[in-house]
Amino acid sequence: MIRLYDSLSREVVELRPRAPGEVSMYVCGPTVYDVPHLGHARTAVTYDVLCRYLTWRGLDVTVVSNITDVDDKIIERAAAEESTEQEVSARFGDIYIRELGALGVAEPSARPRATEYVSQMVSFVERLLARDAAYVIDGAGVYFDVARYADYGRLPGRDPEELRESAGARVAVDERKRDPLDFALWKAAKEGEPAWDAPWMPGRPGWHIECVAMSLGLLGDGFDIHGGGSDLIFPHHENERAEAEAAGHRFARLWMHSAMVNVEGEKMAKSAGNFRTLADVLALHDPRALRLAMLQAHYRSTMEIDETVLAGAAAGINRLDAFARRVGASGALDTTERTADTDAARTAFVEAMDNDMGTPGAVGVIFELLRKGNVALDDGEAEAAASALHTVRDLGGALGLSLRDSSPDEAIQQRVDERQEARAARDYATADLIRAALADEGVELEDTPTGTVWRRVT
RNA sequence: GCAUCGGUGCCCGAGCGGACGAAGGGAGCGGCCUGCAAAGCCGUCUUAUCGCGGGUUCGAAUCCCGCCCGAUGCUCCA
């Protein structure tokens, strides 16, 4: 039984897909006006792991993750660069996809762009107008009428009255709105901004509507999981929910929110100026180290990512790879043979993961099995070690963590062999010379009872 | 202020009523192994005052109340 925390009911609930055996999931992607940072990476990794695990458990998963390519910030950036909105969003969209791909985030089943869904958004707004859940303000746009949605405020756990009090604290409220909480579904075109035709006035999509159009459009009513970063709970997700349900649709069955990444105790954000780009981290570390660091914290806990954390995770990745090399050097062949240890590990792994994606516990299980495999190797039980390795690979795969396979390199192998000959002849001076030379090239040697293995150190 | 989530060994971070004599990773130290390393294993720091004070319970890191501290959200946000 797979259980997940549902942000709407505020409890861990059993995942009960609308269609048995199939899970449909929508993950709010970024607005592409700049390069991705670690926060984007954490969110993407969280849902990537969920998708991989559900698939590993035998479910047929469909993931839709959007890219929002019309928005105030994109317009600003395009203006600042004297470029176009299309160019800016295409550029950052490509970077986003490439860098997350490098992190091992699998391509979603569909990655819609907001601009591809404008006509659906227009129809959606019409439907809301027809149901009297929205109204037009001439020259300004079309607004959602919050009063028409009785459940408003449940997702963020707030009373609409309280929400109303703080509305306008940061942005001036348009006097013509019926309620300060009302928000734009469609924004009237301004000079020099991208615009599309619409029955009310030419303009561009307002807030939250793009995700509703894309999620319902691609996954249909009552899709299973809607996820995103916790900073989207309000207003973004609550307003999506209001729009969809006020239009008569059954929206997401389960809401998930991943926690923020902090830097020195503060949320990483562009506005705070403390963000680290994904590219910066990827330039310094194995992408698997970043993923492991993220897996070692629960997705609903705020986590700190700094050099200490990254270096620690990188050391963990080295252990994983070293185990694979050791087993490889033992000559034992890959085997699906089960042992008491691998069975116990699988059970514990599933138990941890089924419980609201307990990746830290799941990673713990993997490392425990790794240690047992190393002990088996020390005891000369290569077969048992190979079984452990096979399971480590399988479980790691369910989390998107792979072990590095050494790539053969004849030139290096030749020198390793030369060193072995020297060692056999007890000519340790020569042997150490070769080892030091290889070390200078970033190649580290490990002597095992069955031969010497080597690895590249980055 | 209101809402939500937290405060666990040197660091990160699980656990969320009894198998806790608190997982796992990292760091330090000692040992074994090794020609020396690396890798690995074992031990150790670690009897972790589980933020503080009360309470419930046969039993609490886990539940309840109060307090202190922090993060996030309250129409830019992943």
Side-chain angles (χ1 to χ4, degrees):
Chain A
M1 183 173 91
I2 298 167
R3 283 157 297 141
L4 292 166
Y5 181 82
D6 173 32
S7 308
L8 187 59
S9 62
R10 290 171 218 291
E11 57 188 6
V12 176
V13 297
E14 181 183 354
L15 173 65
R16 289 197 178 131
R18 73 183 156 178
E22 293 173 22
V23 175
S24 47
M25 164 156 95
Y26 183 86
V27 181
C28 277
T31 298
V32 283
Y33 65 95
D34 205 348
V35 296
H37 57 63
L38 290 180
H40 297 103
R42 163 118 106 147
T43 301
V45 167
T46 297
Y47 298 102
D48 178 63
V49 170
L50 176 61
C51 172
R52 284 176 191 274
Y53 179 66
L54 295 178
T55 302
W56 186 83
R57 285 284 260 131
L59 291 156
D60 186 7
V61 185
T62 302
V63 185
V64 173
S65 189
N66 68 296
I67 281 184
T68 295
D69 58 355
V70 235
D71 160 86
D72 294 351
K73 296 209 166 160
I74 294 173
I75 294 170
E76 280 168 29
R77 178 103 187 201
E81 292 186 357
E82 295 183 359
S83 178
T84 64
E85 288 78 20
Q86 291 91 321
E87 191 282 321
V88 168
S89 60
R91 173 163 32 111
F92 291 117
D94 286 349
I95 294 174
Y96 178 83
I97 291 168
R98 174 161 31 88
E99 293 185 353
L100 283 142
L103 233 197
V105 172
E107 271 294 304
S109 320
R111 199 193 287 285
R113 259 86 171 166
T115 51
E116 298 163 355
Y117 277 76
V118 175
S119 63
Q120 283 90 333
M121 292 187 233
V122 168
S123 325
F124 203 87
V125 174
E126 283 187 307
R127 189 178 163 98
L128 285 169
L129 281 165
R131 292 179 144 247
D132 201 25
Y135 55 93
V136 178
I137 294 180
D138 287 334
V142 182
Y143 286 79
F144 182 80
D145 192 344
V146 169
R148 302 288 296 170
Y149 183 58
D151 204 36
Y152 200 73
R154 188 149 70 94
L155 186 60
R158 304 212 66 202
D159 189 71
E161 198 42 54
E162 294 173 339
L163 253 12
R164 204 160 281 130
E165 281 170 21
S166 50
R170 284 158 69 173
V171 171
V173 175
D174 187 324
E175 295 299 320
R176 293 169 293 172
K177 292 204 293 191
R178 291 181 189 167
D179 186 312
L181 293 179
D182 292 352
F183 53 90
L185 296 165
W186 187 258
K187 295 181 176 183
K190 284 188 198 146
E191 192 59 37
E193 289 185 359
W196 288 261
D197 279 329
W200 329 284
M201 65 199 83
R204 60 190 169 94
W207 278 312
H208 328 301
I209 189 92
E210 79 282 12
C211 284
V212 177
M214 294 186 274
S215 59
L216 290 175
L218 286 160
L219 297 171
D221 281 24
F223 60 90
D224 298 310
I225 299 171
H226 190 136
S230 64
D231 52 352
L232 298 184
I233 292 173
F234 191 85
H236 187 56
H237 284 165
E238 183 61 346
N239 288 352
E240 278 188 50
R241 201 169 72 90
E243 290 172 7
E245 296 192 354
H249 290 280
R250 166 81 164 93
F251 208 42
R253 294 162 65 89
L254 182 66
W255 289 87
M256 289 180 69
H257 293 96
S258 50
M260 299 291 101
V261 172
N262 277 189
V263 168
E264 284 165 18
E266 296 293 322
K267 175 184 155 189
M268 177 178 311
K270 302 256 169 70
S271 52
N274 66 345
F275 66 95
R276 267 190 87 180
T277 67
L278 221 204
D280 285 347
V281 173
L282 257 23
L284 291 171
H285 297 276
D286 185 327
R288 298 175 302 157
L290 179 56
R291 179 176 284 254
L292 178 60
M294 288 172 170
L295 291 171
Q296 285 181 312
H298 185 83
Y299 78 93
R300 286 196 285 122
S301 299
T302 307
M303 76 175 297
E304 191 82 21
I305 299 182
D306 54 25
E307 278 312 307
T308 317
V309 166
L310 253 10
I317 290 294
N318 282 339
R319 275 195 82 194
L320 249 13
D321 289 343
F323 177 49
R325 283 196 303 277
R326 281 234 296 165
V327 173
S330 78
L333 298 173
D334 184 40
T335 173
T336 55
E337 201 75 27
R338 293 158 54 182
T339 66
D341 285 342
T342 62
D343 281 350
R346 278 174 191 283
T347 304
F349 179 84
V350 169
E351 197 183 334
M353 288 300 288
D354 276 5
N355 184 201
D356 194 24
M357 264 221 293
T359 57
V363 167
V365 168
I366 291 174
F367 276 99
E368 231 168 318
L369 181 60
L370 168 80
R371 199 194 74 248
K372 284 175 179 162
N374 270 318
V375 169
L377 236 27
D378 286 347
D379 294 345
E381 295 163 11
E383 289 303 309
S387 288
L389 175 60
H390 183 86
T391 303
V392 165
R393 281 209 151 98
D394 184 35
L395 302 183
L399 304 178
L401 263 190
S402 56
L403 305 203
R404 180 136 62 199
D405 290 302
S406 52
S407 47
D409 184 311
E410 273 183 42
I412 291 172
Q413 192 55 49
Q414 195 184 332
R415 287 196 283 166
V416 169
D417 292 343
E418 277 170 29
R419 173 172 167 275
Q420 274 303 53
E421 283 168 33
R423 290 181 70 214
R426 294 184 185 278
D427 178 6
Y428 295 119
T430 301
D432 289 349
L433 221 54
I434 295 172
R435 182 168 63 191
L438 284 169
D440 283 344
E441 294 165 36
V443 173
E444 206 159 81
L445 305 184
E446 291 168 13
D447 295 329
T448 78
T450 46
T452 299
V453 292
W454 56 271
R455 66 171 167 140
R456 286 219 155 75
V457 185
T458 43

